[in-house]
Amino acid sequence: QVQLVESGGGSVQAGGSLRLSCAASGNTDNANCMAWFRQAPGKEREGLASIYITGGGSTNYADSVKGRFVISRDNAQNTVYLQMNSLKPEDTAMYYCAARWAFVSGLCRLSGVTFPYWGQGTQVTVSS
């Protein structure tokens, strides 16, 4: 089992920044692919960014956040971050960290795969 705990959410004005953290514990050998998702009320869950912990740490981003959000990891701390810049009111949502095992970097992606491990979420609210 892998446990994920998010932190760093909060309220910010449009144009501001936040950094979310996701601390992984337990059998982290089963979690070499980490990702961030979000879900706003009444909307479907949206994949934002993924990072392949193994090797060079390849990343993938949703078009909606490309250029504004950056996913990174600290392997020594078993922590993944999501730096969010130029925040917009439409970024308001509950943000979730997720993890899975991926045999190759190409399977560390945001769609067409299943993430078995999820955190409890952290709320991000962006006001105009």
Side-chain angles (χ1 to χ4, degrees):
Q1 282 285 4
V2 177
Q3 292 79 43
L4 303 172
V5 179
E6 303 98 333
S7 61
S11 297
V12 64
Q13 288 192 326
S17 299
L18 282 174
R19 188 177 82 155
L20 306 183
S21 300
C22 173
S25 62
N27 194 357
T28 55
D29 288 343
N30 286 341
N32 68 343
C33 173
M34 305 285 290
W36 286 95
F37 291 77
R38 69 185 178 190
Q39 188 165 22
K43 294 189 176 181
E44 292 188 355
R45 187 173 62 198
E46 177 187 14
L48 304 175
S50 66
I51 185 166
Y52 192 52
I53 304 298
T54 304
S58 60
T59 57
N60 288 296
Y61 293 93
D63 288 342
S64 59
V65 303
K66 199 173 294 183
R68 298 191 299 126
F69 292 9
V70 177
I71 190 171
S72 62
R73 92 284 197 200
D74 182 336
N75 288 352
Q77 299 292 327
N78 284 329
T79 300
V80 171
Y81 303 97
L82 185 68
Q83 177 66 44
M84 305 186 296
N85 303 317
S86 302
L87 284 162
K88 306 173 183 179
E90 51 264 43
D91 293 319
T92 295
M94 186 71 80
Y95 284 69
Y96 297 93
C97 176
R100 68 184 300 270
W101 169 259
F103 285 101
V104 293
S105 61
L107 291 177
C108 183
R109 57 179 189 246
L110 300 169
S111 61
V113 296
T114 299
F115 284 82
Y117 307 112
W118 291 83
Q120 81 289 349
T122 186
Q123 177 69 36
V124 171
T125 302
V126 184
S127 58
S128 58

